[in-house]
Amino acid sequence: MTAKMKKQRMSDQKRTALSAYLFISPFYILFAIFGLFPMIFSFYLSFFRWDGLTPMEYVGFSNFEFIFSDPAFFSSIKNTFLIGIMGTLPQIIAALFLAFALNSQLIRFRNSFRTLVFLPYITSIVAVAIIFGVIFNNQPFGFANYILSFLDIGPIRWNAEYWPVKMAIATMVFWRWVGYNTIIFLAGMQSIPKDLYEAAKIDGATILQQIRHITIPMLKPVIMFVVFTATIGSLQLFTEPLIFLGRGLREEGITMVAYLWRDAFVYNSFGSASAAAIVLFFIIIALTTINFLITSRIGKSKKVG
């Protein structure tokens, strides 16, 4: 009887486990088709010359030699890092302060402000292109040039000059993602016990001291998540430069993903595009590791004595 009950219980466990595997299987099947297979195929394709129509030809490391001898590839790496720093670092700092303000009891209509802050994230990319096309128009009547004219600064060619291109794209990145990161930080702050802030106020702590000694240490896991996603997102920057610069993708503003997209779908060189994708893959791995080592030190208390 005991053996029969044990066998029945094992059978129930197997059925429960099978149901669990069936529930999670759609995600892994779709990930294998649309995520894992393209990744493995890119590694394979980086050693071949292929235009998408003719048979593939094995060329060894020629694709890597080509991209490393192309000045535009190094420009794309440099642009990606510069735009990433200019757009991401201020965005994270601003999101942290915005979240702190929206979490404060001193602000009325907080729900309305939270909705307004999040709106840029859900705004259509077409609308973003129109708005920033007007703001950063090269002509004197462009909004940014019009404002600069009051300072006796002549019209700037925003989509053709070295730093103006990066400033315009970084501004678009900042505007689109600051609200998203604010909401992530806000969710983390709402899990911090209010008692800590009340005790800090009684002890005379200023707002900056509260942020430094309570908010940031308690938000450490959230900060790590935001830094990881922002870093990866900045390295995969594509839509903003494509919208702002068009299919021509001038060298002053081309990013790594835009470079490999142009190789694949404009020049029909899928081998060199895959080689660029592999290099980007290893850069992301290296920077994510560095980010993890840096952010894991945030909020660590110093040993006393």
Side-chain angles (χ1 to χ4, degrees), residues 71-145:
F73 178 69
F74 290 100
S75 294
S76 71
I77 295 177
K78 190 176 179 182
N79 292 339
T80 303
F81 279 94
L82 287 175
I83 295 171
I85 292 171
M86 293 166 66
T88 304
L89 187 60
Q91 173 198 136
I92 293 175
I93 296 172
L96 193 60
F97 280 98
L98 273 172
F100 188 82
L102 291 174
N103 196 39
S104 170
Q105 300 294 329
L106 300 175
I107 292 184
R108 298 178 64 187
F109 309 114
R110 282 179 295 169
N111 289 335
S112 300
F113 283 114
R114 289 169 186 173
T115 306
L116 290 174
V117 164
F118 193 68
L119 272 181
Y121 178 68
I122 59 174
T123 303
S124 164
I125 195 68
V126 177
V128 174
I130 294 171
I131 292 170
F132 280 90
V134 172
I135 292 174
F136 293 110
N137 194 296
N138 293 339
Q139 301 301 320
F141 56 77
F143 184 73
N145 282 335

Side-chain angles (χ1 to χ4, degrees), residues 94-96 98-99 102 117 177-187:
L96 193 60
L98 273 172
L102 291 174
V117 164
W177 292 97
V178 68
Y180 172 82
N181 288 327
T182 299
I183 296 301
I184 298 290
F185 281 137
L186 183 61

Side-chain angles (χ1 to χ4, degrees), residues 11-235:
S11 178
D12 291 342
Q13 288 180 347
K14 286 181 180 177
R15 279 200 294 272
T16 304
L18 181 62
S19 301
Y21 284 122
L22 285 174
F23 276 119
I24 64 173
S25 61
F27 168 80
Y28 287 102
I29 291 171
L30 292 174
F31 172 74
I33 295 172
F34 297 107
L36 189 60
F37 171 72
M39 193 186 305
I40 296 172
F41 188 64
S42 291
F43 274 90
Y44 175 77
L45 194 55
S46 64
F47 297 101
F48 289 83
R49 180 180 293 119
W50 191 45
D51 61 4
L53 297 174
T54 57
M56 291 190 290
E57 177 189 354
Y58 180 75
V59 293
F61 288 93
S62 294
N63 289 323
F64 291 95
E65 292 174 1
F66 170 75
I67 62 170
F68 284 125
S69 63
D70 185 6
F73 178 69
F74 290 100
S75 294
S76 71
I77 295 177
K78 190 176 179 182
N79 292 339
T80 303
F81 279 94
L82 287 175
I83 295 171
I85 292 171
M86 293 166 66
T88 304
L89 187 60
Q91 173 198 136
I92 293 175
I93 296 172
L96 193 60
F97 280 98
L98 273 172
F100 188 82
L102 291 174
N103 196 39
S104 170
Q105 300 294 329
L106 300 175
I107 292 184
R108 298 178 64 187
F109 309 114
R110 282 179 295 169
N111 289 335
S112 300
F113 283 114
R114 289 169 186 173
T115 306
L116 290 174
V117 164
F118 193 68
L119 272 181
Y121 178 68
I122 59 174
T123 303
S124 164
I125 195 68
V126 177
V128 174
I130 294 171
I131 292 170
F132 280 90
V134 172
I135 292 174
F136 293 110
N137 194 296
N138 293 339
Q139 301 301 320
F141 56 77
F143 184 73
N145 282 335
Y146 179 73
I147 297 296
L148 291 175
S149 68
F150 291 105
L151 304 174
D152 290 331
I153 298 176
I156 295 175
R157 297 165 62 218
W158 291 99
N159 63 0
E161 296 181 21
Y162 188 79
W163 285 107
V165 167
K166 295 171 181 58
M167 290 171 63
I169 297 174
T171 305
M172 292 173 69
V173 173
F174 179 92
W175 186 81
R176 277 197 72 198
W177 292 97
V178 68
Y180 172 82
N181 288 327
T182 299
I183 296 301
I184 298 290
F185 281 137
L186 183 61
M189 286 180 187
Q190 290 181 340
S191 65
I192 300 175
K194 302 293 182 189
D195 299 347
L196 297 177
Y197 291 107
E198 291 172 4
K201 287 176 185 174
I202 293 171
D203 290 340
T206 63
I207 290 179
L208 287 177
Q209 287 172 329
Q210 291 176 38
I211 293 175
R212 181 183 173 190
H213 296 292
I214 298 175
T215 306
I216 291 179
M218 297 294 285
L219 274 182
K220 179 182 170 184
V222 180
I223 292 173
M224 289 177 67
F225 170 78
V226 170
V227 170
F228 286 158
T229 53
T231 302
I232 294 171
S234 65
L235 292 174

